[in-house]
Amino acid sequence: MDRDGALDRDTATGRGAATRRRRGLSGFIVATIVVLALVAAFFIADAGVRNYAENRAKAEIAAHLPDSVTGDVSVSIGGLSVIAQYLMGRFDRVTLVAPALTANGVPASVHLVATDVPVDQTKQVGDVRGTVDLDQAALNTLLAAALPTGAPAADLVLGDGTVQYAGSVSVFGLNIGYQATATPTAAADSLLFTPSSAQITTGAGSIDATAILPLVLGQQPVRVCVAGYLPEGVNLAGVEVTPGRARITLESSTLMLTAQSLTTLGTCSAG
């Protein structure tokens, strides 16, 4: 066998190996492109399903809000794949935002986050947490509705972590006016404003004003019922007050997304 023939065979062998490598590389590239295309198609489809689910949830919520509640509620579904979550029977995270909701004429900004939300609406949502922001006028509207019939009007003025309000006490037949500073706290169904300090605002005549202050500080907290504006089972978890705004924190582990659950409002205990 001559040398030239051997070289020709080696060259042909090298070319064949190179061709096979190119074909193998081309096949890998094509397979990768196909996989990426399928992944992209899945996420495009998933995005479409997510958009449909969010719009459907928004429509369902709007249809089942109590007649006394008005306003737009936007819905967003978190998690990687809505399709996968639906097939598993629960959504990881659903966020509801209503920046201008009105309940019984009281305006509020609402932000709720529900986790472990079942597809089956007759099952309880795993956890619901959120906030309701009320301005000073809205809070006083709630207070006016909560006061007993015939009780004197009381306006709350929001401060930095405290509220102020005016009132009066009867001492030996004399009505003595005062200005109280109160600390806000949250019960399960109501906001409570407990007097922490006070000053006399009207003349007490011969009565020692220092003896009046314990009467003020010993009064029952000013109570503002909020449960009547919330679905039953949604409780108050806290309150933060800043000038011009009160932020109420909400929580629930028993809420269901049925029409009956969403339209059955809570009630406040007596006292």
Side-chain angles (χ1 to χ4, degrees):
M1 182 179 297
D2 59 23
R3 183 177 180 183
D4 291 338
L7 290 175
D8 289 341
R9 286 194 300 273
D10 291 343
T11 301
T13 300
R15 289 175 179 173
T19 300
R20 287 192 297 273
R21 285 196 298 271
R22 286 195 296 271
R23 287 176 180 173
L25 181 60
S26 297
F28 175 76
I29 293 174
V30 170
T32 301
I33 292 173
V34 169
V35 171
L36 291 176
L38 291 174
V39 172
F42 172 80
F43 280 107
I44 290 172
D46 192 77
V49 172
R50 187 185 301 271
N51 185 63
Y52 169 80
E54 290 174 346
N55 288 335
R56 177 65 181 273
K58 178 179 179 179
E60 288 292 324
I61 291 172
H64 293 140
L65 285 175
D67 294 336
S68 59
V69 178
T70 59
D72 291 331
V73 180
S74 65
V75 180
S76 61
I77 300 175
L80 183 60
S81 169
V82 170
I83 296 174
Q85 291 180 70
Y86 179 81
L87 294 176
M88 293 293 291
R90 286 185 176 269
F91 295 107
D92 295 338
R93 180 185 178 95
V94 178
T95 302
L96 310 178
V97 178
L101 202 66
T102 300
N104 291 330
V106 179
S109 175
V110 180
H111 184 279
L112 297 177
V113 176
T115 55
D116 195 21
V117 180
V119 174
D120 183 352
Q121 295 181 348
T122 63
K123 295 181 179 180
Q124 294 178 345
V125 178
D127 185 70
V128 177
R129 297 184 184 274
T131 58
V132 175
D133 287 345
L134 299 169
D135 63 18
Q136 184 168 290
L139 188 61
N140 278 298
T141 299
L142 288 179
L143 174 61
L147 290 174
T149 303
D155 288 333
L156 299 174
V157 179
L158 301 179
D160 189 7
T162 62
V163 300
Q164 290 187 340
Y165 62 92
S168 64
V169 292
S170 179
V171 181
F172 302 129
L174 296 175
N175 286 327
I176 309 300
Y178 64 85
Q179 182 82 32
T181 298
T183 302
T185 56
D189 55 12
S190 304
L191 296 177
L192 304 178
F193 299 97
T194 305
S196 56
S197 64
Q199 61 182 9
I200 304 304
T201 57
T202 58
S206 60
I207 299 175
D208 184 2
T210 58
I212 298 174
L213 295 182
L215 297 177
V216 176
L217 300 181
Q219 289 181 339
Q220 291 294 320
V222 174
R223 186 183 189 93
V224 179
C225 176
V226 179
Y229 299 85
L230 302 171
E232 189 175 34
V234 178
N235 298 321
L236 279 63
V239 58
E240 295 180 359
V241 172
T242 56
R245 189 206 69 185
R247 169 163 289 181
I248 305 168
T249 305
L250 307 176
E251 64 181 12
S252 176
S253 58
T254 61
L255 186 67
M256 293 188 295
L257 300 182
T258 61
Q260 180 179 1
S261 178
L262 293 175
T263 57
T264 301
L265 302 181
T267 57
C268 282
S269 59

